[in-house]
Amino acid sequence: MKNNEIPYKIYLSEEEMPKAWYNLRADMKNKPAPLLNPQTGKPMTEAELAVVFCDELVKQELDDTTAYIAIPEDIRKFYRMYRPSPLVRAYCLEEKLQTPAKIYYKFEGNNTSGSHKLNSAIPQAFYAKQQGLVGVTTETGAGQWGTALSMACSYYDLDCKVYMVKVSYEQKPFRREIMKTYGASVTPSPSMDTAVGRNILAEHPGTGGSLGCAISEAVEVATSLEGYRYVLGSVLNQVMLHQSVIGLEAKAAMDKYGIKPDVIIGCAGGGSNLGGLIAPFMGEKIKGKADYRFIAVEPASCPSLTRGKYVYDYCDTGKVCPLSKMYTLGSGFMPAATHAGGLRYHGMSSTLSQLYDDGYMEAVSVKQTSVFEAAELFARVEGTLPAPESSHAIRVAIDEALRCKETGEEKTILFGLTGTGYFDMASYEKFHNGVMSDYVPTDEEIATSLSRLPQIDE
Amino acid sequence: MKNNEIPYKIYLSEEEMPKAWYNLRADMKNKPAPLLNPQTGKPMTEAELAVVFCDELVKQELDDTTAYIAIPEDIRKFYRMYRPSPLVRAYCLEEKLQTPAKIYYKFEGNNTSGSHKLNSAIPQAFYAKQQGLVGVTTETGAGQWGTALSMACSYYDLDCKVYMVKVSYEQKPFRREIMKTYGASVTPSPSMDTAVGRNILAEHPGTGGSLGCAISEAVEVATSLEGYRYVLGSVLNQVMLHQSVIGLEAKAAMDKYGIKPDVIIGCAGGGSNLGGLIAPFMGEKIKGKADYRFIAVEPASCPSLTRGKYVYDYCDTGKVCPLSKMYTLGSGFMPAATHAGGLRYHGMSSTLSQLYDDGYMEAVSVKQTSVFEAAELFARVEGTLPAPESSHAIRVAIDEALRCKETGEEKTILFGLTGTGYFDMASYEKFHNGVMSDYVPTDEEIATSLSRLPQIDE
């Protein structure tokens, strides 16, 4: 151990846990662009959004002026079942790398959903319950978000209808059974439950489905059933708000020990975990109170920040959701079938897109073989088996630490370990067998996808 | 929340973690009977055991006089990567049951092996390394022990050869891949690597293997390769010694808040987790310092304490290991194929057998449908998805809490939540589909198995 003062794991006490979420948008000089109604081209109103989302969540979605939003006591009670999450000093990784850098990670995988998704599933279910709703609908791909939501709905005694991409439903029966254990109904999408599903099945009888189709089905069910709303696990402002609990805890734990990170690293798919981790640090940077480097890490197979365009685009491939201004590869972009795990979203949260455009944040993309190499090294020395998504951040944290070894700099690195990889062993198996692909989309593929962007006059 | 003073999770600080294991045998009035050499019928000597096990572990195995054995600093360092484990107050379960009982559980699933097994894998690998060995061999069924051992060997840079029961190897590819991620070699058993394996394959070409056969192969490889020893994850005294870290932490956390448990409950297969959890409490009871009720919970399909005999028997079905005096169903006893998860050992640790025979501990058996009902209820209110093994303890803890509801008693219940159920979803699926069997062996089946016990003159 290099520094006896810092324990392996810093746990806040339950009293030290955040009592309010931090709404970074309130402190941004250039606010993220508003969601637009695809029919009218005008900003979505509260009333329009309330057809799909719970009232309180619509308010949070549109609020870009209130910096702190109180976390209701009932949500804080649920948070205490698995939070505070540990801030871990990666002593063993540092020793293995022989780096002078000090590496910390905030570990969000210590709950049954296996990821940070639960942080937003709880408030989304809570506000639905508070509004007197019967239930919520959602889509899930790999199943982390569906698991988190089913856990939250079980706790608040809400009905939970999950539309799971059919190919995942069949290939990941364990994820499906976990959701059922928590009382959710899980339907393979496309299904015969919805007009959207029936149409797709009529056109493509053998299809394995897609996330875009599952979203469309979940939205159709939510808007056609009395007492239901639709919920979403990433991309939205409200989700990033809830995920700020990650960054607030991490910062409180670091402040307690007088630690200041130089570099903060997170993987980026829709952007909610990264946005949550960096929020309080970014707030200080914007206000000129402190300086930090922020690095968003995305897969080379789905590089929205590093190779996308900052424009208005559909949030979903089915084009039923509002338009969002974001870095995007085009809503029709599909990462190659060989892409492992999550981080397969074509766009990026509008808040992170704006921050990146304003130069507050860097972005890099990494190939998946190098990601799994980092994952395996991390597992062997730090014990925890990381999710492929989280391992993108591990890759870049290791690269930064190795750079410190070359230069002799004693930088402090913080990264987000968003989840565990127990349900991703099929991808690890490909890695072990040397059959993992490092396919990167060609410029032409991206250009073709971007040529189909919606036409919006800003 | 009923009591604002007790947090949801009590974490000891790293300084408060135990610095020595507690060797309960030192305080027992009637010591557990010694292991016997099956050839000579005489107690196994240090030299005989050292052919199979590491020297330091042999000493621990035979030592029934030293009450506290220091935990080497290097092991404590590894423990700090995932320990202290939380002692959780089950507020939500209490509320759901509307019981005046106070329920606590010590959660050992917060590490990648998903169970308490790592507590003993680490010292076993450490002492092997200290002795200058090249590697260790072991067998694994469901894979928890193999995963834990591969993690420990990866950390200490030891070769790890796991013989995995062939049917599990094929049905649980994810467990296999986790072990590979940690660098272990995993061989389906029976294999062509060993004489034992080749003989069995010649006789039964299509066999799916058995734990007994895998043990025999692992022992053969360990004793025939230079620089290798065999390690085992349960049943042995040394394992129960290492697992005392569970009870020591639980007791320290309870003492810190002035909590005294009335009833302590654990699931019992080979007995190491139960033995570890109860050790310091049982020590007090033996010395007359405090009184506690202890309840061992075993599956109705493999009821060694409640329906077995207290005699000398083989520890393994292959009859290559020493004889142990224990409650046993006979080494040829095999739980029905419909039995889910672990806890399928025919015998019970000799220490727990002696304590049970002396009346210090109670035992009950439970059927698996009721176990999964408890598991699902627990998951829905407490969040964590429990392993089927741990859910045996949950079942009885719930039953005790419901009894308190009837009587109005405010008892304090402590149980061991030994692991998570992420890799047991196939069993949950059976439960959801209503096809779970509650088969219980007949008296005749048990009598037949017991009629083949070895003949030993004590």
Side-chain angles (χ1 to χ4, degrees):
Chain A
M1 211 189 305
K2 291 179 190 172
N3 185 339
N4 280 307
E5 286 167 40
I6 311 284
Y8 275 66
K9 297 181 290 319
I10 304 177
Y11 278 107
L12 298 177
S13 73
E14 286 169 13
E15 298 76 52
E16 290 169 318
M17 285 170 63
K19 294 182 178 56
W21 293 299
Y22 173 53
N23 186 10
L24 177 58
R25 285 168 293 161
D27 290 323
M28 285 170 67
K29 287 165 192 163
N30 298 324
K31 307 285 182 192
L35 292 170
L36 297 186
N37 182 323
Q39 267 83 52
T40 64
K42 299 246 166 67
M44 291 289 290
T45 63
E46 207 170 310
E48 284 169 339
L49 285 168
V51 178
V52 178
F53 299 110
C54 305
D55 298 347
E56 193 61 34
L57 293 166
V58 169
K59 281 190 193 126
Q60 293 180 357
E61 190 62 32
L62 298 176
D63 185 343
D64 60 8
T65 54
T66 314
Y68 288 92
I69 294 177
I71 308 175
E73 170 53 29
D74 209 32
I75 293 174
R76 289 170 52 211
K77 191 176 155 188
F78 196 160
Y79 275 175
R80 285 195 286 270
M81 276 171 57
Y82 70 102
R83 308 199 68 82
S85 74
L87 177 74
V88 188
R89 172 75 182 267
Y91 282 116
C92 299
L93 180 60
E94 292 171 18
E95 203 173 298
K96 180 78 180 178
L97 300 176
Q98 289 287 306
T99 175
K102 294 170 184 64
I103 310 175
Y104 293 85
Y105 56 91
K106 181 72 171 163
F107 179 41
E108 292 290 320
N110 259 353
N111 68 75
T112 286
S113 82
S115 81
H116 65 291
K117 298 276 182 186
L118 196 53
N119 299 333
S120 185
I122 295 169
Q124 294 201 45
F126 169 79
Y127 291 120
K129 186 71 181 178
Q130 201 185 41
Q131 194 174 325
L133 297 179
V134 179
V136 293
T137 70
T138 199
E139 79 293 334
T140 200
Q144 286 179 331
W145 166 246
T147 304
L149 188 68
S150 65
M151 289 172 69
C153 286
S154 157
Y155 184 83
Y156 291 118
D157 203 17
L158 270 178
D159 186 39
C160 178
K161 295 187 190 304
V162 179
Y163 287 83
M164 187 171 187
V165 178
K166 195 181 206 165
V167 60
S168 298
Y169 182 91
E170 285 161 1
Q171 288 176 358
K172 302 207 169 192
F174 291 177
R175 274 287 183 197
R176 183 183 79 205
E177 291 305 320
I178 290 192
M179 291 184 260
K180 285 188 183 172
T181 301
Y182 288 94
S185 74
V186 188
T187 306
S189 167
S191 75
M192 295 299 283
D193 290 7
T194 64
V196 159
R198 288 188 294 271
N199 286 342
I200 291 177
L201 284 172
E203 271 181 53
H204 312 278
T207 179
S210 70
L211 210 52
C213 167
I215 293 177
S216 306
E217 288 204 86
V219 172
E220 182 182 327
V221 171
T223 51
S224 59
L225 279 184
E226 184 72 26
Y228 281 77
R229 290 294 184 282
Y230 169 72
V231 296
L232 181 65
S234 188
V235 185
L236 297 175
N237 293 323
Q238 56 186 272
V239 182
M240 194 174 136
L241 173 72
H242 305 148
Q243 296 296 355
S244 70
V245 70
I246 305 173
L248 291 165
E249 278 188 14
K251 188 159 190 311
M254 292 191 124
D255 285 349
K256 201 168 159 177
Y257 284 85
I259 307 158
K260 188 192 161 292
D262 298 298
V263 195
I264 303 174
I265 301 165
C267 62
S272 65
N273 101 75
L274 175 66
L277 174 67
I278 68 175
F281 301 98
M282 182 62 86
E284 285 192 341
K285 179 165 178 167
I286 290 173
K287 288 185 268 186
K289 285 191 182 170
D291 196 22
Y292 306 96
R293 269 182 76 203
F294 300 100
I295 309 179
V297 189
E298 51 185 23
S301 54
C302 192
S304 55
L305 286 172
T306 49
R307 296 178 67 195
K309 236 174 128 173
Y310 188 39
V311 289
Y312 265 103
D313 192 10
Y314 290 100
C315 289
D316 60 320
T317 42
K319 303 185 180 181
V320 297
C321 294
L323 296 164
S324 174
K325 190 176 176 190
M326 56 183 176
Y327 275 88
T328 179
L329 296 163
S331 67
F333 181 84
M334 293 284 283
T338 52
H339 171 102
L343 309 182
R344 47 173 69 242
Y345 187 60
H346 66 276
M348 183 57 60
S349 103
S350 62
T351 300
L352 289 186
S353 293
Q354 185 64 48
L355 290 167
Y356 179 61
D357 203 58
D358 287 342
Y360 284 109
M361 187 174 77
E362 305 163 34
V364 294
S365 75
V366 288
K367 293 185 185 174
Q368 61 182 1
T369 298
S370 74
V371 166
F372 277 82
E373 281 163 2
E376 188 166 277
L377 171 66
F378 182 84
R380 291 187 182 187
V381 296
E382 287 290 320
T384 299
L385 185 85
E389 297 84 358
S390 324
S391 304
H392 286 70
I394 297 175
R395 171 75 274 162
V396 173
I398 288 176
D399 291 345
E400 287 291 322
L402 291 175
R403 211 159 293 140
C404 288
K405 186 178 175 178
E406 278 173 29
T407 62
E409 286 172 290
E410 286 190 29
K411 280 189 189 165
T412 297
I413 298 168
L414 166 65
F415 72 88
L417 187 69
T418 52
T420 49
Y422 306 128
F423 294 96
D424 300 289
M425 294 319 297
S427 300
Y428 274 92
E429 186 172 7
K430 279 188 194 153
F431 170 67
H432 295 148
N433 296 340
V435 295
M436 178 147 268
S437 154
D438 276 328
Y439 181 79
V440 173
T442 63
D443 288 341
E444 205 189 335
E445 282 173 292
I446 291 178
T448 306
S449 175
L450 286 173
S451 71
R452 297 181 192 128
L453 289 169
Q455 300 303 312
I456 301 292
D457 304 319
E458 284 185 58
Chain B
M1 212 190 300
K2 291 179 191 170
N3 184 340
N4 281 307
E5 288 167 37
I6 312 284
Y8 276 66
K9 298 181 292 316
I10 304 176
Y11 279 107
L12 298 176
S13 73
E14 286 169 12
E15 297 76 51
E16 291 169 316
M17 285 171 62
K19 294 181 178 59
W21 293 299
Y22 173 54
N23 185 11
L24 177 58
R25 285 169 292 161
D27 289 323
M28 285 169 67
K29 287 165 193 164
N30 298 323
K31 307 285 183 193
L35 293 170
L36 297 186
N37 182 322
Q39 268 84 51
T40 64
K42 300 246 165 69
M44 291 290 289
T45 63
E46 207 169 311
E48 285 169 338
L49 285 168
V51 178
V52 178
F53 299 109
C54 303
D55 298 348
E56 193 61 33
L57 293 167
V58 169
K59 280 189 195 128
Q60 293 181 357
E61 190 62 31
L62 297 176
D63 185 345
D64 60 8
T65 55
T66 313
Y68 289 91
I69 294 176
I71 308 175
E73 171 53 29
D74 209 33
I75 294 174
R76 289 170 51 212
K77 190 175 157 190
F78 196 160
Y79 275 173
R80 284 195 286 269
M81 276 170 57
Y82 70 101
R83 309 200 67 83
S85 74
L87 177 73
V88 188
R89 172 75 182 267
Y91 283 116
C92 299
L93 180 60
E94 293 171 18
E95 202 172 299
K96 181 77 179 177
L97 299 175
Q98 291 287 305
T99 175
K102 294 171 184 65
I103 309 175
Y104 293 85
Y105 56 92
K106 181 72 170 163
F107 180 42
E108 293 289 319
N110 260 353
N111 68 76
T112 286
S113 81
S115 81
H116 64 291
K117 297 277 182 187
L118 196 53
N119 299 332
S120 184
I122 294 169
Q124 294 200 46
F126 169 80
Y127 291 120
K129 187 71 180 179
Q130 201 185 39
Q131 194 175 324
L133 297 179
V134 179
V136 293
T137 71
T138 200
E139 79 292 334
T140 200
Q144 285 179 331
W145 166 246
T147 305
L149 188 68
S150 64
M151 290 171 69
C153 287
S154 157
Y155 184 83
Y156 291 119
D157 202 16
L158 269 178
D159 186 38
C160 178
K161 295 188 190 302
V162 180
Y163 287 82
M164 187 170 187
V165 178
K166 195 180 208 166
V167 60
S168 298
Y169 182 91
E170 285 161 1
Q171 288 177 358
K172 302 207 168 190
F174 291 176
R175 273 290 182 193
R176 183 184 77 206
E177 291 305 320
I178 290 191
M179 290 184 261
K180 286 188 184 172
T181 300
Y182 288 94
S185 74
V186 187
T187 306
S189 167
S191 75
M192 294 300 282
D193 290 6
T194 63
V196 160
R198 287 188 294 271
N199 287 342
I200 292 177
L201 284 172
E203 271 180 55
H204 312 279
T207 179
S210 70
L211 210 52
C213 168
I215 293 178
S216 306
E217 288 205 85
V219 171
E220 181 181 325
V221 171
T223 49
S224 58
L225 279 183
E226 183 72 26
Y228 280 77
R229 290 293 184 283
Y230 168 72
V231 296
L232 181 65
S234 189
V235 185
L236 297 174
N237 293 322
Q238 58 186 272
V239 181
M240 194 174 136
L241 173 72
H242 305 147
Q243 295 296 356
S244 70
V245 70
I246 304 173
L248 291 165
E249 277 188 14
K251 189 158 189 315
M254 292 192 124
D255 286 348
K256 202 170 161 177
Y257 283 85
I259 307 158
K260 186 191 162 292
D262 298 298
V263 195
I264 303 173
I265 302 165
C267 63
S272 66
N273 101 76
L274 175 66
L277 174 66
I278 68 175
F281 301 98
M282 183 61 87
E284 285 192 343
K285 180 166 176 166
I286 290 173
K287 289 186 265 184
K289 285 191 182 170
D291 195 23
Y292 306 97
R293 269 182 75 203
F294 299 101
I295 309 178
V297 189
E298 50 185 24
S301 54
C302 192
S304 54
L305 286 173
T306 51
R307 296 178 66 194
K309 238 174 128 173
Y310 188 38
V311 289
Y312 266 105
D313 192 11
Y314 290 99
C315 288
D316 60 320
T317 42
K319 304 186 181 181
V320 298
C321 294
L323 296 164
S324 174
K325 190 176 177 191
M326 57 184 175
Y327 276 87
T328 179
L329 296 163
S331 67
F333 181 85
M334 293 284 281
T338 52
H339 171 103
L343 309 182
R344 47 173 70 243
Y345 187 59
H346 66 276
M348 183 57 60
S349 103
S350 61
T351 301
L352 289 186
S353 292
Q354 185 64 49
L355 290 166
Y356 179 61
D357 203 56
D358 287 342
Y360 283 109
M361 188 174 76
E362 304 164 35
V364 294
S365 74
V366 289
K367 292 185 184 174
Q368 62 183 358
T369 298
S370 74
V371 165
F372 277 82
E373 281 164 2
E376 187 165 279
L377 171 66
F378 182 85
R380 290 186 182 187
V381 296
E382 287 290 319
T384 299
L385 184 85
E389 297 84 357
S390 325
S391 304
H392 286 70
I394 298 175
R395 171 74 274 162
V396 173
I398 289 176
D399 292 345
E400 286 291 322
L402 290 175
R403 210 158 295 140
C404 288
K405 186 177 174 180
E406 278 173 28
T407 62
E409 287 172 290
E410 286 191 27
K411 281 188 188 165
T412 297
I413 298 168
L414 166 64
F415 72 89
L417 187 70
T418 51
T420 49
Y422 306 127
F423 293 96
D424 301 289
M425 294 319 296
S427 300
Y428 274 92
E429 186 172 9
K430 278 187 195 153
F431 171 67
H432 293 148
N433 296 340
V435 296
M436 178 148 270
S437 155
D438 276 328
Y439 182 79
V440 172
T442 62
D443 287 340
E444 206 189 333
E445 282 172 291
I446 291 178
T448 306
S449 175
L450 287 173
S451 71
R452 297 182 191 126
L453 288 169
Q455 300 303 313
I456 301 293
D457 303 319
E458 281 185 56

